[in-house]
Every structure is written in structure tokens, then in C-alpha cells.
Amino acid sequence: MTQFKSALITWKLKIMRVAVTQFATSLNSQENQATCIRMINEVAACKPDLIVLPEYSNTEACYEDHNQAWHEALDINGLFFQKIASQAKQYNSYILINVTLRRDLTREHQNPTIKSNISVTSCMFSPAGKLIQQSDKQLLLAQENEFFVCFNKATDAVTSAFGKLGLLAGSDIITFEAARDLALDGAQLLCNSQSSYVVEQGALQNFSRAIENNVFVATANKIGQSTPKVNLTADLVGVCHSQIISVNGKVLSSLANNKEGFTFADIDMAVAGLNKKCRPDGSEFLKQRRVELYQQPVTLQQHTANIEQAISNILPETANVAIFATYKSNEQAIEDVCHYIENNLSDIIQLPELFFIADKTISHNAEQLATIEILCTELIIQISATLRPFQYVCTSLVISGVHQGVLISEHGLFATQQQLHFCNRYQWSALGNELNIIELPLEQGNINIAILIADDANIPEIVKVAALNNVNVLLVPFDIQESSEVEFSLLSRAAENAICIVAASREKSFANADTTYNNNPKTGNKNKIKPMKSTGLIVDVLVRTASSRQGITSGLYSCNHMPLADIKVKQQYGKITKAVIHPSATVT
């Protein structure tokens, strides 16, 4: 009985009530202090264990000069922090507040031309009123670089009574590195303070960080004008979307309006963490991870060649790509592909992973695997005989007992790429030890491509290796395992790496717990989960322009500042999906 009570107490401690806020600030730190205190008092009504406030809670993000930035920044021992500490103690809550913080109190700040020693820092206060963690914003963008510096690059998660918490600020969420480092340190909840006018951070990046790290994400964002209008070509307004997201990318609670307020959710910290992250086939993420692959160097020759291509206009501005997904199997599937090639002029035809096999589990049988390999050899011969000059087919095959991505040309096998990360679906296959960068000749010039199969494209580290090695187009023949792969993960990879992606899969249906049939006495359906179909997609990188800023519902995810790229998405639909991509836009 004693052991049972102990276990029950431990379980209860894992349930954490998290509240996120959204409100506007001004260039008046005293007004902002009053706003923060008022908001914390309001949130306290729901008895939260943690309160997350937005980025720049003490100020705005844009200044006339360094003198103004210094004047707005806080002293760590000042009254502002004392008030927040007092409220944390009063309400027995953890409080996260992001502020601009004075670092060198001895500087001569009267000269407006001297760069201020100021950081954008997230500060965590414990229920005892103690400052237990400081974490500086890692990724400073645009005008932030003029006024702020990053003093503390530590990525340690902070231990709370409920589990481990990671602190993120602003643009830190738009690439995978900061969140991944915190997750590797054991973070189960990412506390994300934002002051963003970028739609993707709420509608794409937050979800990607939650799913790829198996963590909760609690985001508090600003409302109102993000920066003074006089300094910008447009009036950029905070997109709000303060929200709490589960480990599987579901919205637990959100503020979808542009009004001041708060929302909260109870989360079970025990289910979160990279050590509990598994793929649908049971593959454990930490066992899949191969750090040695992610340190692949960028060669000067590769980088120089890519730049020279861009300068001399050798890199094609566009390329025609197509996804072809046959519903047939074995020899009939090969004939179907060859017939399509004969009537199609696309430069690159992307097929799903092992496109001619509907049930991939047969590959676990040694005798059937040998039969598959014989069929793969015949497949290369037939498809290559059908292709035109400068035309290619990408898929995955079994060659010499190994599962690998292939690129087929009119001359036969043009390039191969072994599977890089273990997965239970292909546990019989040996793994490769290098990402191959393939120079692909097209009629208008050459592009750099890489091929990722199985679970490889779900690992953001290996996609970054491709981008750093000047890959323009990522070809992904895969077998989709969960809808989030195309809803968030691949889109995030394209946006943060400025890389075109062509990904093909056989159609799958997944249960979507957010979509249920209405109770119907005639059909008897009651709380029935509706299956949602998922396939691959084509992601095109566009030229970055201020005029390209559109809403996420239009199919264009746009961000007007680096490192995110403007991307246009076309979902795979039916047997044939065609699109034009822009490899030249991937060179920055």
C-alpha cells in the first residue's frame, strides 16, 4: 500500500497546469511592468503551476538608437524583477518572463553610437520567488543584431517539481537546433516566449518542434503592432496564436483571437521527452540518431561549385517534377510507370518507396526479399529503356540485399543512396555511412540533389547536412507513417533550410482525433473517429519578397526574414501530381 501511495503521489506531480498569456507592450517599461503584474493576477484565477509571458515583456523590439535600447532594458536586481519574483511566490507558480536585460552595468551608455551590452533573456522564477534560470535568445534577426548580443549560449533545461523545462525565445523556434538541444538535455516542455508577426511560427514551427522532440510546447505571443511603424515598410502586427501543443502536435488550448487574454491546459509530463519518442513501427528515436552523420563536412569544392553555378546562370531557374503513384503491384506496377514515362516530359519523376509493393512487411521474409531484388533488377532495365535524355526516375529498391534510394536515367542506375537511419520496417538492411551529394545534369544546367528514404527525412539534422552541402532539391521516396510528416515536418525542413522537396508515398489513412462524425441516430455513428487520407507533397522554394506575404490558408507559407524561406506547397493527389520548382531560389 505504501508503494502504491508513493507511485500515486509521483504521478500527480507529473500533471502540470500551464498557462500562456498574450498582451501588447509599449516603449514604457513602467507601463509594461503594470501590464505584466495585472496579467499574472488574472491568470492566477486558474491556479496555474506555470505562467508563460510573451517575448519583450518589458518593451518593444525596435529603437531609435542604442541609448533608447539601454534605457528600456532591465537591471537584474531592479524593481521589475522583484515584482515578478514576489508574484511567483504569492501564487506558488513558476513564472517565465522574457525581457531585454542589461549585462554590463559599467558601460558608457550615453553615446548613442556605442553598441549596448544587452541581451534578450528568458528568466524563470520558481514558486519560492527565486530566479532559477536565465537563457538568452540564440538567433538574433534583422535589427536585433544592432542592439542585442547573446551572452549565454547554454542550452540546459531547468528542473522543476513537475519535470524538465526548456526556455525558447522568438526566432529560436524557427530552426530545429535550439529545441533539439533542450530535448537532448531532457526537456519535456518547451516554454516559448514570442513577439512574432510571422504566421508560420504559430501554424507550422511550433508543431514541428513538438512532434520531432516528443515535447509539449507552450507559446505566449504578443498582440498589437510588433515594432514601431516608422521603421518598417509595412505595419507588422502580432499574429497572436498563443497556444499549448501536445507531444503529438494536437492543440490542447489556444487563443486564436487578437485580444489580450490567457489560456491554460493540464499536461502529463510523464509522456514527454526524447527518451520516450518512438516511430509508429516502434523504432526508438534515440537509437535511430547517428551523431557522426550530422558532422559531415561541407567541402570548399562543393560550396564553390554551387556559387559559380548561380553566378554564371548555369543553375536552372526551374525544373519540372512529377509524382507518380501507381495503385498496381509487381510487374503491373512497372508497366504502369513505363507507360506514364512514355507520355510525360517531366525532368524528375518521383515514385514512392518500393513503389511496386503494397505490403512492405513481405520484405521480412528472406525468400520474398530475394524475389523483390530480382524484380528490382528488371525494373531498372525496363524504366531506363523508356527514359529520355535528361529525364530521371527516383524511388527506393533492394540492391545486394540493401534498401537504398536510386536515381535511374536512360543509361541505367545513375546514383544510389543507402538508408541512413535504422527503422524496424527495414531492420534487415545495412545502413550507409554518408549522405551522397549528387550533381544531376538537366537540359538547362546542373542541380545538386540528395535522396532520403525510410525514416531519414524525419531527422532534421540530416536535412541540414544536405542544405549545408548546397543541395537544391531533396528527393524523398517514402512510405508515410503518420500524417504529421507532411502536415508539418517536411514543410518545416523546406522552410528552415531553403530547399525544394519532392516526396512521394502510397496513400495512407490515419485516424484524426480532432475530426469526428456528428451523432446520427440513423447511422449509429457516435464519437467515431474519421480517417484522413495522407500522401506526399512537392515543396517549392520561391524568391523572398515582401509582397509574397500571404496567409497560411492560401497554400503559401511565407516569412520575410531569414532563415525561413518562402515555400509553396502542392499536395500529392491521385496517381499524377505535377509541379514546377525553382532550384535557383535555394541559393542564398
Side-chain angles (χ1 to χ4, degrees), residues 138-402:
Q138 306 293 302
L139 187 57
L140 299 173
L141 301 177
Q143 201 174 35
E144 287 180 328
N145 284 297
E146 296 182 23
F147 298 105
F148 307 121
V149 292
C150 178
F151 278 84
N152 174 21
K153 288 187 175 293
T155 54
D156 295 339
V158 57
T159 300
S160 75
F162 301 90
K164 299 194 77 171
L165 314 176
L167 312 186
L168 293 174
S171 49
D172 288 345
I173 199 79
I174 66 179
T175 62
F176 76 89
E177 284 97 338
R180 177 71 96 211
D181 287 343
L182 288 166
L184 287 170
D185 193 49
Q188 298 158 283
L189 165 65
L190 299 181
C191 306
N192 180 30
S193 298
Q194 287 191 340
S195 176
S196 174
Y197 56 86
V198 181
V199 174
E200 295 87 331
Q201 291 187 30
L204 174 61
Q205 306 298 334
N206 289 338
F207 292 90
S208 296
R209 302 297 88 90
I211 293 165
E212 67 198 19
N213 294 298
N214 195 51
V215 295
F216 294 95
V217 176
T219 297
N221 200 4
K222 286 282 192 69
I223 62 172
Q225 188 172 292
S226 294
T227 49
K229 189 173 180 179
V230 68
N231 294 303
L232 298 165
T233 57
D235 187 7
L236 300 178
V237 177
V239 295
C240 313
H241 288 295
S242 296
Q243 56 191 353
I244 302 168
I245 302 170
S246 72
V247 297
N248 59 2
K250 302 299 181 184
V251 177
L252 300 177
S253 186
S254 68
L255 287 168
N257 57 42
N258 59 353
K259 298 178 181 179
E260 180 182 282
F262 71 91
T263 188
F264 66 92
D266 293 333
I267 65 174
D268 182 2
M269 296 279 275
V271 305
L274 272 182
N275 62 326
K276 294 182 175 65
K277 178 174 174 55
C278 289
R279 294 284 287 153
D281 67 358
S283 305
E284 297 178 32
F285 173 77
L286 289 179
K287 291 183 178 179
Q288 287 185 312
R289 184 174 164 80
R290 299 180 66 191
V291 177
E292 70 277 9
L293 291 180
Y294 318 141
Q295 299 170 347
Q296 183 172 330
V298 180
T299 67
L300 179 60
Q301 181 181 3
Q302 290 167 343
H303 181 71
T304 303
N306 191 268
I307 297 300
E308 287 176 351
Q309 284 180 346
I311 294 174
S312 61
N313 294 321
I314 294 176
L315 189 66
E317 182 178 349
T318 63
N320 295 306
V321 298
I323 291 174
F324 182 74
T326 180
Y327 298 106
K328 299 178 181 179
S329 299
N330 302 323
E331 289 84 356
Q332 290 75 29
I334 299 172
E335 292 174 4
D336 203 13
V337 170
C338 290
H339 177 74
Y340 174 71
I341 295 171
E342 291 173 347
N343 297 278
N344 187 276
L345 298 176
S346 295
D347 300 314
I348 302 172
I349 300 169
Q350 180 69 65
L351 307 177
E353 179 179 287
L354 294 175
F355 72 92
F356 53 93
I357 302 175
D359 180 10
K360 307 297 191 298
T361 60
I362 67 172
S363 65
H364 291 275
N365 180 282
E367 185 175 331
Q368 289 186 319
L369 186 62
T371 302
I372 291 171
E373 186 163 351
I374 293 172
L375 195 58
C376 289
T377 302
E378 182 61 30
L379 180 155
I380 295 171
I381 295 172
Q382 291 188 38
I383 288 181
S384 61
T386 314
L387 289 166
R388 301 173 179 82
F390 301 111
Q391 190 178 35
Y392 306 89
V393 165
C394 179
T395 185
S396 79
L397 301 176
V398 180
I399 300 175
S400 300
V402 176

Side-chain angles (χ1 to χ4, degrees), residues 306 315-321 348 350 394 407 435-440 442 446-452 463 466-467 469-476 497-503 538-541 580-587:
N306 191 268
L315 189 66
E317 182 178 349
T318 63
N320 295 306
V321 298
I348 302 172
Q350 180 69 65
C394 179
L407 198 64
L435 178 68
N436 299 327
I437 311 302
I438 304 162
E439 186 174 350
L440 186 67
L442 299 178
N446 296 354
I447 63 173
N448 288 338
I449 69 161
I451 304 172
L452 295 178
V463 179
N469 281 275
N470 300 317
V471 166
N472 312 115
V473 182
L474 195 63
L475 302 181
V476 184
N497 292 290
I499 192 169
C500 297
I501 296 179
V502 185
I538 299 172
V539 189
D540 183 28
V541 174
V580 176
I581 60 174
H582 296 76
S584 58
T586 65
V587 179

Side-chain angles (χ1 to χ4, degrees), residues 402-414:
V402 176
H403 183 221
Q404 47 194 309
V406 300
L407 198 64
I408 304 171
S409 73
E410 61 172 331
H411 302 297
L413 202 57
F414 182 86

